């Protein structure tokens, strides 16, 4: 039987539990995970609570990823409400949806009250409609209104990302007035804030004062004398654009304004770190032609995400194979060509992927635009030519010695130089063209670049061989 969750942890058991759960790389140890699994198998709720209560929420989220569905169902019931609240935003999306199904709606409503509005909205968003209504109905009116307001904005917008808890002060206040106000707020303060936003009578931000500067200034100093210009974020601005602004201007926080310019919330750097990681992960996955996967994804979900791109690759591979069929007579007469031609296409594919990756990354960070696209293009062409001139003598000599025919060496050397130039050209132009057409350059660029380098690699090599050798 599982003992009562509210019972105190016996001191003897507390002494028995080893709280060192992480290794030197901040990764959960196998021994600790095994203890949690054993406690869950035994239905030992007290031991589970003792093991978990000292963990950081991010480590609890990692732990959930190491457990089976059955073990998660037991563990989540023994998380203290405050730890449950802090853990939910840290969980992978698939695991979080599964965990939320196990938490009673009243417990979940209590836990959500511990979170800032942005994190609470992210959790509520994953709930089924009927369950969402029950959870929101069990929350205080102000908390419910804040979450519903956040959910009213577009999914990837600043409005969805922001927290509505924000510290603002009118223009006529002094440092002393502001400090007294902050101290009087108590639990109403945002959990994390770095700036006090100075607002005009219409609640429009006109500047910001860093908390560190506020504490150093004399109480009599006017806020308007201390405030600095701020970077305002529009409530409908895309989260990727917001991340770019934070990264470019080295922001810690920024006010969010509505269409009338009124202050409605703030975004802090901890949220932006998550967005940057999410966007980078998304680009990497798209370059590989797979969908977003996490530890909670099922086999069927993973297969559905990968099969379409494999099918596209199959089609492009058949295109490359068709080129080989055009030169069947040449290959029949000179068997060595069949051995050597994959080298040209493989090197071209790798070189094209290098150019593609650099270009997509430059587009994502806005280091590449119309003003320098031509210069970037010719630079990559020069790099492709240089790489070809370095590598072609090596493969040329090796092919000539192996085949005993210097003409084969000359053919593969020339083909490699030309295909590396093609690879550089396609690797730059493909993402630039997709970006110009308002498509995500990371989505299908890799497949197109690989197909092109294969096609032209075979065509150039076998075409030159036909001309020179026959």
């Amino acid at each position: 039987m599982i003992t009562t969750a509210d019972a105190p942890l016996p001191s003897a058991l507390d002494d028995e539990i080893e709280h060192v759960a992480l290794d030197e790389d901040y990764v959960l140890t196998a021994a600790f995970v095994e203890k949690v699994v054993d406690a869950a198998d035994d239905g030992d709720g007290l031991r589970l609570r003792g093991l978990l209560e000292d963990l950081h929420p991010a480590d609890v989220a990692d732990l959930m990823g190491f457990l089976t569905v059955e073990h998660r169902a037991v563990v989540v019931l023994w998380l203290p409400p405050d730890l449950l609240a802090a853990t939910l935003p840290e969980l992978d999306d698939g695991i979080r949806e599964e965990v939320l199904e196990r938490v009673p709606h009243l417990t979940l409503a209590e836990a959500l009250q511990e979170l800032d509005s942005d994190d609470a909205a992210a959790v509520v968003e994953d709930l089924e409609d009927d369950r969402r209504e029950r959870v929101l109905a069990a929350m205080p009116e102000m908390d419910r209104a804040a979450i519903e307001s956040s959910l009213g904005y577009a999914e990837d917008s600043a409005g969805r990302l922001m927290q509505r808890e924000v510290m603002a002060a009118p223009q006529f206040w002094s440092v002393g007035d502001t400090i007294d106000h902050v101290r009087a707020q108590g639990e109403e303060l945002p959990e994390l804030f770095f700036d006090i936003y100075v607002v005009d009578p219409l609640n429009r931000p006109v500047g910001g004062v860093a908390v560190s500067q506020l504490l150093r200034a004399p109480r009599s100093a006017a806020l308007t004398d201390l405030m600095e210009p701020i970077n305002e974020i529009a409530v409908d601005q895309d989260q990727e654009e917001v991340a770019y602004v934070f990264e470019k201007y080295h922001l810690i926080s920024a006010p969010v304004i509505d269409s009338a310019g009124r202050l409605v919330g703030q975004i802090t750097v901890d949220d932006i770190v998550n967005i940057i990681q999410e966007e980078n992960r998304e680009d990497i996955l798209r370059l590989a032609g797979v969908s977003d996967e996490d530890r909670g994804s099922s086999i069927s979900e993973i297969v559905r995400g990968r099969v379409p791109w494999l099918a596209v690759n199959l089609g492009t591979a058949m295109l490359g194979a068709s080129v080989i069929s055009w030169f069947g007579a040449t290959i029949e007469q000179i068997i060595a060509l069949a051995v050597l031609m994959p080298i040209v296409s493989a090197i071209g594919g790798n070189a094209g992927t290098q150019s593609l990756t650099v270009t997509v990354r430059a587009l994502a960070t806005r280091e590449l635009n119309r003003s320098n696209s031509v210069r970037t293009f010719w630079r990559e062409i020069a790099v492709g030519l240089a790489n070809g001139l370095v590598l072609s003598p090596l493969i040329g000599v090796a092919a000539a010695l192996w085949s005993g025919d210097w003409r084969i060496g000359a053919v593969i050397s020339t083909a490699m130089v030309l295909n590396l130039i093609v690879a550089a050209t396609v690797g730059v132009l493909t993402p630039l063209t997709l970006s110009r057409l308002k498509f995500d350059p990371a989505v299908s660029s890799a497949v197109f670049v690989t197909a092109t380098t294969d096609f032209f690699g075979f065509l150039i090599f076998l075409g030159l061989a036909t001309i020179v050798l026959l």
Side-chain angles (χ1 to χ4, degrees):
M1 291 290 293
I2 297 180
T3 50
T4 305
D6 296 330
L9 185 67
S11 58
L13 182 58
D14 190 29
D15 293 337
E16 176 191 347
I17 293 174
E18 179 184 355
H19 291 290
V20 180
L22 306 178
D23 63 20
E24 62 275 8
D25 296 321
Y26 301 100
V27 177
L28 289 171
T29 64
F32 181 82
V33 175
E34 185 176 350
K35 287 183 179 182
V36 173
V37 170
D38 289 342
D41 285 336
D42 296 338
D44 192 342
L46 288 179
R47 182 165 175 76
L48 278 174
R49 174 163 289 190
L51 287 167
L52 301 173
E53 63 183 359
D54 290 337
L55 287 182
H56 188 280
D59 295 321
V60 177
D62 275 348
L63 174 65
M64 291 295 191
F66 292 127
L67 301 178
T68 64
V69 174
E70 294 75 15
H71 290 134
R72 287 179 202 143
V74 177
V75 169
V76 71
L77 296 177
W78 288 93
L79 288 175
D82 56 339
L83 182 55
L84 172 63
T87 299
L88 288 173
E90 303 285 345
L91 293 170
D92 292 337
D93 291 345
I95 296 177
R96 182 166 62 199
E97 292 177 9
E98 173 196 307
V99 166
L100 289 175
E101 294 177 359
R102 307 284 182 173
V103 181
H105 73 279
L106 293 178
T107 302
L108 183 56
E110 179 183 355
L112 291 176
Q113 295 173 48
E114 303 290 331
L115 297 176
D116 288 329
S117 57
D118 57 333
D119 291 331
V123 173
V124 171
E125 180 185 11
D126 289 336
L127 298 174
E128 297 292 338
D129 291 343
D130 57 341
R131 184 166 166 78
R132 181 186 303 173
E133 292 178 3
R134 293 200 304 272
V135 170
L136 290 175
M139 297 182 67
E141 184 176 351
M142 289 187 61
D143 293 331
R144 180 173 68 251
I147 293 174
E148 290 175 339
S149 178
S150 294
L151 293 176
Y153 295 108
E155 183 175 354
D156 294 328
S157 67
R160 183 67 70 88
L161 184 64
M162 73 178 181
Q163 62 181 81
R164 302 186 69 84
E165 299 83 6
V166 61
M167 288 304 302
Q171 290 172 291
F172 58 84
W173 273 12
S174 66
V175 168
D177 296 329
T178 307
I179 291 177
D180 292 341
H181 174 73
V182 170
R183 288 174 175 168
Q185 294 303 300
E187 295 183 358
E188 298 299 321
L189 285 172
E191 181 179 350
L192 184 67
F193 68 101
F194 305 96
D195 298 289
I196 307 292
Y197 300 116
V198 183
V199 296
D200 65 13
L202 296 179
N203 200 39
R204 296 176 300 194
V206 295
V209 180
V211 172
S212 57
Q213 186 179 11
L214 186 78
L215 296 177
R216 288 196 298 263
R219 289 181 60 87
S220 60
L223 290 182
T224 51
D225 294 335
L226 300 177
M227 68 183 187
E228 299 288 342
I230 52 177
N231 296 88
E232 298 174 347
I233 303 295
V235 74
D236 57 353
Q237 202 164 343
D238 185 83
Q239 65 178 19
E240 192 171 351
E241 176 77 18
V242 176
Y244 172 73
V245 172
F246 266 72
E247 187 174 9
K248 180 177 181 178
Y249 297 109
H250 310 292
L251 302 182
I252 298 178
S253 65
V256 181
I257 58 173
D258 62 13
S259 58
R262 294 170 300 201
L263 180 67
V264 292
Q266 69 170 342
I267 295 175
T268 53
V269 69
D270 60 316
D271 299 312
I272 295 303
V273 169
N274 293 333
I275 296 303
I276 292 174
Q277 291 178 337
E278 180 183 321
E279 295 293 341
N280 286 341
R281 180 179 66 175
E282 185 179 273
D283 286 344
I284 290 172
L285 290 172
R286 286 180 172 179
L287 278 172
V290 297
S291 61
D292 194 1
E293 299 169 4
D294 56 41
R295 290 174 292 187
S297 299
S298 66
I299 294 177
S300 61
E301 290 172 339
I302 295 174
V303 170
R304 284 198 301 270
R306 296 186 186 183
V307 162
W309 289 107
L310 291 176
V312 173
N313 282 332
L314 179 61
T316 57
M318 293 176 64
L319 180 63
S322 67
V323 177
I324 299 175
S325 68
W326 300 344
F327 298 94
T330 303
I331 296 174
E332 287 178 3
Q333 295 184 51
I334 308 173
I335 302 300
L337 298 179
V339 178
L340 296 174
M341 64 183 180
I343 298 175
V344 179
S345 63
I347 295 296
N350 286 332
T353 300
Q354 289 175 342
S355 297
L356 169 66
T357 303
V358 170
T359 304
V360 169
R361 180 58 182 163
L363 286 169
T365 57
R366 309 198 181 186
E367 297 172 1
L368 178 59
N369 51 43
R370 290 188 179 184
S371 64
N372 63 350
S373 59
V374 174
R375 184 170 67 253
T376 300
F377 171 75
W378 286 113
R379 183 189 66 186
E380 288 297 321
I381 294 296
V383 170
L385 176 61
N387 287 337
L389 294 176
V390 170
L391 296 175
S392 61
L394 301 177
I395 186 60
V397 171
L401 293 175
W402 174 75
S403 65
D405 190 339
W406 66 267
R407 295 177 302 168
I408 291 180
V411 166
I412 195 171
S413 295
T414 305
M416 181 167 291
V417 172
L418 294 176
N419 200 32
L420 286 176
I421 294 175
V422 170
T425 302
V426 179
V428 175
L429 290 184
T430 299
L432 282 176
T433 302
L434 290 173
S435 178
R436 187 70 57 86
L437 296 174
K438 306 301 181 183
F439 293 108
D440 187 342
V443 173
S444 56
S445 296
V447 174
F448 183 79
V449 168
T450 302
T452 304
T453 53
D454 284 349
F455 181 88
F456 281 100
F458 293 141
L459 181 63
I460 293 170
F461 178 60
L462 296 176
L464 287 174
T466 302
I467 295 172
V468 174
L469 301 177
L470 298 183

